[in-house]
Amino acid sequence: MTIIGPRLPRDSQVRVMEDTVAQAEKHFGQFCSLLAAYARKTARLRDKADLLVRRLLDCADTEQPEMRAALRTLAEDLAKVQDYRQAEVERLEMKVINPLKLYGAQTKQTRAEIKKFKCVRNNEIKQLEKLEKLRQKSPSDRQTIAESSVQRATVDASCTTQQLQETIDTFQQQKLKDLQKIFSDFVTIELVFHAKAVEVYSSAFQTLESYDLERDLQDFRAKMHGVYGCYDARPLTTTTTSPGVPWSLAQSAQSTIRSQTKAAAGDEDSAEEGPAPDLGGRGPINNE
């Protein structure tokens, strides 16, 4: 009976298993770091857009009636986009980043199981080697050697190897499913946000295209000559949220100017890509 032959494939299998877990831990950690930075950047963009909404409203109060109506409507549309962007950030954290955080614990558990099975298998193989050496030294006295012990050690080693293979197979299957699910959710979140943003921006474009410059010039020239109240601007067009919107986001422009908006952003463009984090200990996204 030869031991060296079957040991090499088993050792190679263990190396493949360990490499599979190590690569998963590395890449999922990098994905978690990058996508968390992506969400933070999106949140900062939302905050800057909220400031833009505020400035548009301030500017509208100083302009002629037509431009005032156009800027206020534009501000409402931009605020609505930021509602969608806020939902995008929240869904990225819930559907994409949190599952990536939890993967750290899963990879550590799988690595621990591989280590445990590996130790058991190595002990069984060592016992099998001892019995085999004993058989080779006493080939004529096979009956006195624990033949059943040799067979049992062989079976135990094969059984442990089989358990190890099943463990890594389950891990690999779940990893592939998780990759598909996480990035499908990522694409869906981005697709929905951009689809709704295009819809709102199209409405904003139409508002600006329909702006009546001549009426404002007439109003301005009349005021220059001391004539006031020539006419009122056209009423704002009421915008409603499409019933197909997946998130409950219908809010006014004022309600979307969040209290947590940061005016100072000197460190906003700092590099977000850092080393792969410990996926098991990451906290919630910091929007600041």
Side-chain angles (χ1 to χ4, degrees):
M1 182 175 181
T2 304
I3 301 300
I4 296 179
R7 282 192 62 189
L8 292 177
R10 285 173 179 171
D11 290 341
S12 298
Q13 287 176 351
V14 172
R15 283 196 297 270
V16 171
M17 296 172 189
E18 292 174 334
D19 288 344
T20 298
V21 176
Q23 290 298 321
E25 187 173 38
K26 172 186 174 182
H27 292 133
F28 275 76
Q30 291 174 342
F31 289 146
C32 185
S33 178
L34 288 170
L35 288 168
Y38 181 97
R40 289 194 298 270
K41 193 76 172 180
T42 302
R44 287 199 291 270
L45 178 59
R46 173 208 62 204
D47 292 341
K48 288 302 181 183
D50 282 341
L51 289 176
L52 177 59
V53 169
R54 182 179 297 174
R55 298 296 175 263
L56 285 170
L57 293 173
D58 291 343
C59 180
D61 291 338
T62 68
E63 292 297 335
Q64 311 312 126
E66 287 291 317
M67 180 57 74
R68 180 165 59 248
L71 290 180
R72 286 177 177 173
T73 302
L74 175 61
E76 289 183 359
D77 287 338
L78 289 179
K80 186 183 297 184
V81 172
Q82 304 327 305
D83 289 335
Y84 291 125
R85 187 168 274 124
Q86 171 64 20
E88 175 194 11
V89 172
E90 292 172 356
R91 288 173 66 86
L92 283 172
E93 182 172 8
M94 178 179 64
K95 305 283 286 184
V96 176
I97 298 170
N98 284 344
L100 287 171
K101 291 179 189 176
L102 297 175
Y103 228 84
Q106 186 171 348
T107 54
K108 289 178 181 178
Q109 180 181 354
T110 303
R111 178 180 280 116
E113 290 180 1
I114 291 177
K115 184 177 181 180
K116 179 183 68 175
F117 286 137
K118 183 179 177 182
C119 290
V120 173
R121 188 183 67 87
N122 287 341
N123 289 334
E124 291 170 346
I125 291 178
K126 287 180 180 179
Q127 182 64 25
L128 192 60
E129 287 177 337
K130 291 179 181 179
L131 292 172
E132 179 64 17
K133 288 179 180 179
L134 184 59
R135 292 181 62 183
Q136 291 176 351
K137 290 179 180 179
S138 304
S140 61
D141 195 18
R142 290 190 176 185
Q143 299 300 323
T144 61
I145 300 174
E147 187 74 23
S148 61
S149 297
V150 175
Q151 295 175 354
R152 184 168 58 253
T154 303
V155 171
D156 289 344
S158 299
C159 182
T160 303
T161 301
Q162 180 65 28
Q163 289 177 329
L164 187 56
Q165 290 173 349
E166 291 174 358
T167 297
I168 197 64
D169 184 81
T170 300
F171 174 83
Q172 179 71 0
Q173 182 180 13
Q174 187 62 46
K175 184 197 77 174
L176 296 176
K177 287 182 179 180
D178 289 341
L179 277 173
Q180 180 189 29
K181 179 68 166 58
I182 288 170
F183 282 100
S184 292
D185 286 340
F186 172 78
V187 171
T188 299
I189 291 166
E190 293 298 294
L191 181 62
V192 172
F193 166 74
H194 285 90
K196 299 310 298 181
V198 167
E199 180 182 324
V200 177
Y201 282 133
S202 297
S203 174
F205 178 81
Q206 293 300 325
T207 296
L208 294 173
E209 280 292 291
S210 62
Y211 165 64
D212 192 338
L213 173 63
E214 290 302 322
R215 293 190 71 184
D216 271 352
L217 285 177
Q218 290 174 14
D219 181 74
F220 177 75
R221 289 163 183 165
K223 289 179 180 178
M224 288 287 291
H225 292 85
V227 181
Y228 293 91
C230 293
Y231 66 91
D232 293 328
R234 290 170 292 175
L236 295 178
T237 302
T238 302
T239 57
T240 58
T241 304
S242 170
V245 178
W247 308 310
S248 187
L249 298 172
Q251 300 177 9
S252 67
Q254 292 295 334
S255 68
T256 57
I257 301 177
R258 299 165 185 85
S259 59
Q260 71 268 27
T261 302
K262 304 295 183 181
D267 60 343
E268 285 185 2
D269 295 324
S270 60
E272 279 100 358
E273 291 189 26
D278 181 359
L279 300 183
R282 178 181 290 279
I285 293 177
N286 180 6
N287 292 341
E288 300 178 6

